[in-house]
Amino acid sequence: MPTSLTTDRGAPAGAAPGRSPAPSGAADWVRCAGCAVLVYGPRLRRNLGVCPDCGRHTPLDPWTRIGQLLDPGAVPLDCAPEPVDPLGFADTAPYTDRLARARAATGLADAVVCAAGTIAGAPVVAAVMDFRFLGGSLGVVVGEAVARAAEEALRGRRALVLVCASGGARMQEGAFALMQMATTAQALARLDAAGLLTVSVVTDPTYGGVAASFATLCDVVLAEPGARMGFAGPRVIEQTIRQQLPPGFQTAEFLVERGLIDGVCPRERLRTVLGRLLSVARAPARPGGAVPAAGTAPAAITDPGALAPRDAWESVLGARDLARPTLLDYLGYVAQDFEELRGDRRGGSCPAIVGGPARWCGVPVMVIGHQKGHGPAELTERSFGMARPAGYRRAVRLMRLAEKLGLPVVTLVDTPGAHPGADAEEQGQAAAIAECVSVMGSLRVPTVAVVTGEGGSGGALALAVADRVAMCENAVYSVISPEGCASILWKDAGAKRTAARALGVGARDQLRAGVVDAVVPEPEGGAGADPLAAARLLGAAVVELLAPLLGEDPDTLVARRRERFRRIGARAGARTREAVA
């Protein structure tokens, strides 16, 4: 076995014998299994094993995969124990014969290869499966190898990257194989407890015990285009319960639509995406260059007297201006290395909430927020920023991941409220919001929330239970929309202006009341008039609010955050007593 796996990312050194000729063999021409077109072998290799005609991602052997993903100089890890035949199993051939033939054909000890190295400079341990070895089945050797790879990652404080391909648990090893689901799941749980990032790359196919253990337990689950993953395969489903399956069932595209994986990542982008995730996850949080220099004016306004009075209804109209920057606009202006992580992992996907790790003005954070859009098509697609339960559950998942990795959480709030539809109620809207409120309030990492447009009701509060809460100068924050309040209490929707004033929805009123800690100034004419200037102001204000929180004791953060929100209620009581007096 070589001491260094690769000389460059396209040509593995000391490659194992018996490799499939599909992407990396010596054959001059390879017939694509997807479109049946003959592809020139060197061209297919240059294209990372992706058919240039139909885009099919051909299977890669572990050495080629490691060469593509890891930096040069990766070192093989001897993670595999001695092979076993615990049952003395024989079907049409003895299990020992099958193992011998698989080793001869692939040059591998078993269906997984482990290596240590770096991706874009970030230290990792990689475990890469090979479907050619008995269908990539999960047996004692594979389970133990993955567990040892996780232990190596734990010892070296490295991230763990798993490239999965499997038909399921290895039948020839009976219950011994089944137990490997528990072995690998517990190994990943130790990395969770240690705060180390785990990433799964799903390749075609990934089924059974692998899908129901380490392939889906990772913090981030990516899949190559067209890769299939599930517990029971289509053939099993169709033969056992005679169920008609929808087109594209269990493909990567199917899975991301249903919130079961974080994204579909073409092979050409995979190394870049992994590099970004690993870089943000391991970087220490510290203020970047956006912090104002000593002697300059603060980026955020904390004195209500410094804000000009504004008609409450005009604030409402300004907050709803479709020209205002959205979350994705702000990220494009002030963030680097943002990678969106999708889905709630429970079968739901909600485009009204967007989130993922990024560098906010140079500071590694987890960004989460509402996404409205600008035009009719995007507004409809994003449900006008009104999130369903899957959106709030996705937010909770990302908050917990941020806490695990020690990343501060930055949320941008812009929603009329949570989605009020029947489907949202059927899926547990109230419970999803309640969980989000509770989890954000208990996070043991610094949190900053900014209401950038509309802050409507519990749908907004779910992302705003933070250490520091701010509003943009022309944003609004309220328990209900002025129209809703007018209809309920005045019995007249036309009383919306009166209701807006009574609710005190504007930034100046909310700052005076202590509901928010600061106000982010906007350029002349509002954020929509100059989105770039607005983004710079917001970027600097967030870093200014976040900077004092970095390095704080987690218990202190949680206790102070809880006290902050309780204190708002106490202030309300004091204001009531003053009014009565």
Side-chain angles (χ1 to χ4, degrees), residues 64-437:
T64 301
R65 178 75 71 172
I66 290 169
Q68 287 183 3
L69 293 182
L70 273 64
D71 300 332
V75 177
L77 295 176
D78 186 16
C79 290
E82 287 299 312
V84 295
D85 179 16
L87 303 179
F89 196 93
D91 41 70
T92 58
Y95 176 42
T96 52
D97 289 355
R98 293 189 183 277
L99 286 173
R101 286 199 293 269
R103 290 192 196 101
T106 63
L108 305 179
D110 213 291
V112 67
V113 169
C114 302
T118 59
I119 297 177
V124 299
V125 170
V128 182
M129 300 189 73
D130 193 335
F131 191 80
R132 296 171 306 147
F133 196 107
L134 297 183
S137 49
L138 174 62
V140 170
V141 172
V142 173
E144 182 63 20
V146 170
R148 291 184 185 184
E151 289 169 349
E152 182 65 27
L154 186 62
R155 276 192 293 272
R157 300 294 302 173
R158 295 168 176 257
L160 179 66
V161 175
L162 301 167
V163 181
C164 304
S166 177
R170 192 167 295 177
M171 291 178 286
Q172 294 93 335
E173 296 181 15
F176 293 96
L178 183 66
M179 295 304 110
Q180 302 315 303
M181 293 170 64
T183 294
T184 55
Q186 291 174 79
L188 263 65
R190 292 185 66 191
L191 297 185
D192 283 339
L196 295 173
L197 180 69
T198 55
V199 182
S200 168
V201 178
V202 175
T203 70
D204 189 54
T206 299
Y207 280 111
V210 169
S213 59
F214 56 88
T216 51
L217 281 174
C218 290
D219 300 316
V220 179
V221 181
L222 303 172
E224 291 191 330
R228 295 164 295 165
M229 181 176 72
F231 184 61
R235 187 186 306 172
V236 172
I237 295 170
E238 290 168 351
Q239 289 178 352
T240 53
I241 61 175
R242 309 298 178 192
Q243 188 171 340
Q244 200 69 22
L245 303 177
F249 183 69
Q250 293 180 327
T251 62
E253 295 74 16
F254 175 98
L255 297 169
V256 78
E257 248 181 53
R258 287 153 181 79
L260 297 172
I261 62 175
D262 288 289
V264 180
C265 189
R267 197 171 285 170
E268 64 183 9
R269 289 195 63 242
L270 185 55
R271 176 178 155 81
T272 299
V273 170
L274 290 175
R276 287 179 175 176
L277 291 169
L278 294 164
S279 173
V280 173
R282 69 187 288 264
R286 55 178 178 269
V291 180
T296 62
I301 298 168
T302 55
D303 176 13
L307 295 168
R310 190 178 185 196
D311 177 72
W313 182 247
E314 292 303 314
S315 293
V316 173
L317 295 179
R320 294 174 178 173
D321 180 8
L322 294 183
R324 292 181 72 82
T326 66
L327 168 66
L328 291 175
D329 294 330
Y330 283 123
L331 286 169
Y333 288 127
V334 302
Q336 306 83 39
D337 297 333
F338 173 68
E339 281 297 332
E340 183 177 359
L341 304 181
R342 297 173 174 83
D344 65 355
R345 298 278 182 91
R346 301 186 194 179
S349 181
C350 172
I353 284 184
V354 170
R359 294 178 185 273
W360 183 280
C361 296
V363 183
V365 298
M366 183 71 74
V367 182
I368 308 168
H370 300 92
Q371 175 67 18
K372 270 188 180 177
H374 295 291
E378 188 183 7
L379 287 165
T380 301
E381 178 194 350
R382 302 281 184 178
S383 190
F384 292 81
M386 296 185 292
R388 289 174 167 80
Y392 293 111
R393 290 175 183 136
R394 173 191 188 182
V396 165
R397 182 171 78 86
L398 297 185
M399 289 175 189
R400 287 179 168 148
L401 176 56
E403 183 175 58
K404 169 185 168 175
L405 300 176
L407 290 174
V409 173
V410 173
T411 61
L412 301 188
V413 177
D414 186 12
T415 179
H419 196 280
D423 60 333
E425 292 301 317
E426 290 171 356
Q427 295 159 20
Q429 183 73 290
I433 292 171
E435 183 185 21
C436 206
V437 170

Side-chain angles (χ1 to χ4, degrees), residues 440-521:
M440 189 171 187
S442 302
L443 289 176
R444 294 171 62 80
V445 291
T447 54
V448 170
V450 183
V451 181
T452 60
E454 288 185 277
S457 191
L461 179 66
L463 297 187
V465 187
D467 297 308
R468 297 289 183 271
V469 182
M471 288 176 68
C472 288
E473 191 174 0
N474 295 316
V476 293
Y477 200 8
S478 178
V479 67
I480 191 173
S481 70
E483 297 93 332
C485 180
S487 296
I488 294 170
L489 298 182
W490 275 266
K491 314 299 183 189
D492 177 13
K496 58 192 177 185
R497 289 178 177 271
T498 304
R501 285 194 296 271
L503 289 167
V505 297
R508 188 169 183 262
D509 286 336
Q510 297 293 347
L511 181 60
R512 180 183 287 115
V515 171
V516 301
D517 305 295
V519 172
V520 181

